[in-house]
Amino acid sequence: MGEIVLKDVEKSFGEISVLRDINLTINDGEFVVFVGPSGCGKSTLLRMITGLETVSGGQVVIDGEDITHTKPSSRGLAMVFQSYALFPHISVRDNIGFGLKIAGLPKAEIDAKVAQASGILGLDALLDRKPRELSGGQQQRVAIGRAIVREPAAFLFDEPLSNLDAALRVQMRIELIRLHERLATTMIYVTHDQVEAMTMADRIVVLEGGDIQQFDTPIALYDRPVNKFVAGFIGSPKMNFMEASPGPDGTVQIKGGPALKVPGVDLARITRRMTVGIRPEHICYAHDTGDLTGKILVEEQLGSDAFLYVEVEGIGMVTVRAVGERDFHSHQTVHLSLPPETCHVFDESDLRINEN
Amino acid sequence: MKSVRWQLIAAFAITFVFVAPILWMVLAAFKTINDIYAIPPVWVPDFTYLENFKLLLSENWQFLLNSTIVTLSATALCLAFALPCAFGLVYFQFGAKNFLADWILSTRMMPPIAAAVPLYMVFNGAGMLDTMPALVIAYAGFNLPFAVWVAMSFFRNIPKEIIEAARIEGCGWFQTFRLVALPLAKSGIATVATFVFIFAWNELLLALFLTTREAKTFPVVISSFSTVTKTYWELISAATIIQILPPVIFTILMQRHIVSGLTMGAVKN
């Protein structure tokens, strides 16, 4: 079991408040990712769940039990650190079995569990080595092994893949997803990498400036971001933003562009200054006609996609994702149009005001 | 080439200046008192002449034993207090933590002689004069500040995540200290132990004040060979050789631990 509830959790270091009004319910067995830019408080939040960081206000509840002031050793959680934090003076076998030994399990049982975990993670041949004799990826596996043998209420990961090279990171990401399916234990995963967040999470917590911006499924964050920050943070390349103002007949007038009749805009919430957002793959492009005219500054051709960076006069740089496109190149003129049903409208306090 | 040769000559000359007294002492230890004063000098003594050592050890072996007991006990006692103290100062969060650490260091600024008379009074009052426990307590106490500070720097070098990992794995503070921090600070502990050992083994001043007969340590014995009427150079030399051997052996044994690098590979940077 591993339902984790945070109630009005706060954290401040002296005068400086780093987290405010954090309310979260993480269901048993769920894979939740905390994502946000550096300094948003995501690691601090994770460390408060582990007990390594004290809680300034509010409650941390695991399976109905208030553990706000319980010491880390008694919380029954397991953590994988960015630096792996293996014990360098003992073998891989002893590293994996460390927590079980502390818990006083009989040796035969520890050996059986270590053997099982090392089998899952492919560490059988390395059990008698010291951590420093392993590669980064292997050390990472040992750290995961040390976490899974204890059958914790929840696994906590603090940017576990950021020290690995790109290829290994993709591989470990898939392994972690499969591990979660196999164990069905609650996992909380902190990262600043939105690709990791999107691919691994059941639900994502987007944090910024010490506040939860949105807590929802990856697709909901992508399709229905609650505000401009989430819209810009999730998705790569970033969503395009254009300044806008109220237009005639409930339309939204893009500055230097067309007036769009975006469906579902809450007319009562229209403000004097607004922002229209559209994702790069939703922009239509053509050689001959469109709402906007611009010049391709850079063409990034990946084969599967071409990213066109288009300079539009009066608007600025617009990114277009052209799937499988071969026919548009740098320095050419291109015409763009913005299908209104794919646009997002944000009011002057950056909240999204169209519903879909 | 030429400058390298001169550098070598200079190095040998300087080394000779420092080694000369020890060399003289080693030679004198195998001479009779008459040979020591002989003109022209007896350059190379008969190294099979061991009477000085025999005489010395037969009369003073119990003081050598005293020295050994006091030194080992003081080192052990000092570490037993310094290590947990340093661990707490590094990892626990509490008010006035830095003040406490500085205050511990400040006690080191006082010369031992300033404490000699007060210590004499205290141990006199406690009826502990001329006992080994008194020396053990005094030596351990004098080395605590130094030991705490050096141990703190070694505990600080352990990556924070390793300590945190131990706590999440279910270790209380004491287990974290014993199973993780101590093994990782092994080289630091060896360093501290070596310094405390050498201090306690060579200490003379407090031993002169606090002991008279029963608990006398070996340095006190050596000093007693220089009397108002006569200086027993042959005994002083033999005793000094015995005196310097344990620190030399201890340091050689500890040397490989003092070379650190144990935490390599624990944390990927």
Side-chain angles (χ1 to χ4, degrees), chain A residues 47 72-73 83 88-89 102 150, chain B residues 164 167-170 179 183-184:
Chain A
R47 292 168 59 82
S73 53
S83 59
H89 57 298
I102 296 297
R150 289 177 46 222
Chain B
E164 291 178 345
R167 297 187 58 213
I168 290 181
E169 288 293 300
L179 298 175
L184 292 184

Side-chain angles (χ1 to χ4, degrees), chain A residues 53-202:
Chain A
E53 206 74 70
T54 56
V55 176
S56 308
Q59 281 184 307
V60 181
V61 180
I62 297 181
D63 289 332
E65 195 185 333
D66 183 350
I67 51 132
T68 315
H69 302 292
T70 307
K71 51 185 195 263
S73 53
S74 311
R75 295 190 181 198
L77 302 171
M79 183 154 167
V80 176
F81 292 82
Q82 179 176 359
S83 59
Y84 317 142
L86 300 177
F87 305 119
H89 57 298
I90 55 179
S91 66
V92 168
R93 184 192 309 279
D94 292 342
N95 261 284
I96 296 176
F98 187 85
L100 302 176
K101 199 174 152 196
I102 296 297
L105 261 66
K107 195 171 178 307
E109 201 174 327
I110 296 175
D111 287 345
K113 288 189 173 185
V114 170
Q116 195 195 357
S118 62
I120 294 173
L121 296 162
L123 292 168
D124 294 316
L126 307 173
L127 284 177
D128 293 315
R129 295 207 196 165
K130 290 276 174 67
R132 66 170 167 275
E133 296 163 335
L134 305 183
S135 70
Q138 289 166 338
Q139 290 184 13
Q140 175 71 82
R141 273 171 224 268
V142 177
I144 294 170
R146 184 172 68 183
I148 65 178
V149 285
R150 289 177 46 222
E151 293 163 19
F155 292 100
L156 309 173
F157 296 91
D158 191 1
E159 308 218 12
L161 305 185
S162 40
N163 284 342
L164 300 176
D165 63 51
L168 204 50
R169 202 178 309 161
V170 173
Q171 190 194 332
M172 285 307 293
R173 202 164 76 203
I174 294 166
E175 284 188 30
L176 280 176
I177 294 169
R178 293 188 53 203
L179 192 68
H180 179 240
E181 277 172 9
R182 179 175 182 148
L183 301 173
T185 307
T186 311
M187 292 191 178
I188 304 178
Y189 189 103
V190 166
T191 182
H192 61 269
D193 180 344
Q194 52 131 328
V195 177
E196 282 177 19
M198 291 295 285
T199 52
M200 300 172 90
D202 293 323

